[in-house]
Amino acid sequence: MSRPVGPDPGRQPYPWVVPDLFRWFFLLGLSAVGLVVAWWGASGTADTGTQITWLNIGVASIVVGGLGNMTWLLQGRRAVALRRRDLLTGLTGDVAPRVSTARRPAETRVAVPGGTRHHRPDCVAVTGKTVTRGSTAKHEKAGRRPCGLCSGG
Amino acid sequence: MDVTTWLRAQWDRVAAWLMIAGGVISLLVGWWGVSHTAYLAEQMPYLVSAGMFGLFLLGLGATTWLSADLRDEWRKLDEVAELLRERP
């Protein structure tokens, strides 16, 4: 049975929410006002030193606008990434058990008497040896650990 | 798809292109103003107004364009989620 994944009822239609929009507009507005003020200041004087000051205000305004754009895009990217992760998590939840059972048809493990590891029956480490069969739990109870060759551990 | 429908669906990309075009025009106006005077005091207002406003519009246009891409990706994820939901 598949896990419910995807948009909840009433989920937002865009990667952003209204506060993100307000923050973006606020910083853009601040930037635009700063540019107008800088232009007004720079055009109202012939003194180069004073104009440089207004130029700096203009540069600062551009930086503020850039920050607004950057936070807007980062917020959008983060929302998309989280959404993608949610979907993949839902998929993994569905697929993982099937993969697990397909790759491990039986829980039977084998061990050499007196050995400290338990193995898959087809493990090369026990090929041609006399082994005892049992469940993983049984071998673990006997103090054996999974074989590093066939169990990846 | 007719033009009106396309414009309605892609309004943000259209706006992005308009802003980018406006930014380029603004930069050209700034360059024109600066190149027509040899006095720094007369050049500075062009730099601050047309030059910086052009940069502002270019940044805003690029952001709007990238926002449209993110919106498309968001809708695609909606479709994927819907397909997964309908899966038996």
Side-chain angles (χ1 to χ4, degrees), chain A residues 2-65:
Chain A
S2 63
R3 245 177 74 180
V5 290
D8 302 323
R11 190 180 180 113
Q12 62 194 66
Y14 296 101
W16 300 275
V17 289
V18 174
D20 297 327
L21 190 68
F22 283 159
R23 186 176 54 222
W24 188 37
F25 280 179
F26 172 74
L27 289 173
L28 285 178
L30 201 63
S31 176
V33 168
L35 284 177
V36 171
V37 168
W39 165 74
W40 174 80
S43 60
T45 177
D47 177 48
T48 308
T50 310
Q51 283 184 328
I52 292 291
T53 304
W54 291 112
L55 179 69
N56 286 336
I57 290 173
V59 171
S61 302
I62 289 288
V63 170
V64 168

Side-chain angles (χ1 to χ4, degrees), chain A residues 103-128:
Chain A
R103 294 179 72 181
R104 294 184 186 180
E107 277 293 312
T108 304
R109 305 283 290 177
V110 298
V112 177
T116 58
R117 303 277 176 172
H118 58 86
H119 313 259
R120 281 169 51 175
D122 57 348
C123 178
V124 292
V126 292
T127 304

Side-chain angles (χ1 to χ4, degrees), chain B residues 6-60:
Chain B
W6 184 82
L7 282 176
R8 200 171 287 169
Q10 301 290 336
W11 65 269
D12 38 11
R13 287 195 168 89
V14 174
W17 273 118
L18 288 176
M19 283 187 267
I20 289 170
V24 170
I25 290 170
S26 181
L27 286 178
L28 287 174
V29 168
W31 166 78
W32 178 85
V34 166
S35 64
H36 277 72
T37 176
Y39 299 108
L40 185 61
E42 287 181 6
Q43 289 174 337
M44 200 70 84
Y46 281 105
L47 185 66
V48 174
S49 59
M52 290 196 173
F53 189 64
L55 289 180
F56 176 83
L57 281 181
L58 284 178
L60 191 56

Side-chain angles (χ1 to χ4, degrees), chain A residues 59-99:
Chain A
V59 171
S61 302
I62 289 288
V63 170
V64 168
L67 280 175
N69 290 337
M70 190 183 72
T71 51
W72 171 258
L73 288 176
L74 284 178
Q75 181 61 38
R77 278 190 57 81
R78 186 164 52 207
V80 168
L82 285 174
R83 182 84 190 284
R84 196 186 298 137
R85 195 184 66 185
D86 284 351
L87 282 175
L88 288 176
T89 306
L91 267 181
T92 309
D94 285 349
V95 172
R98 279 181 292 199
V99 170

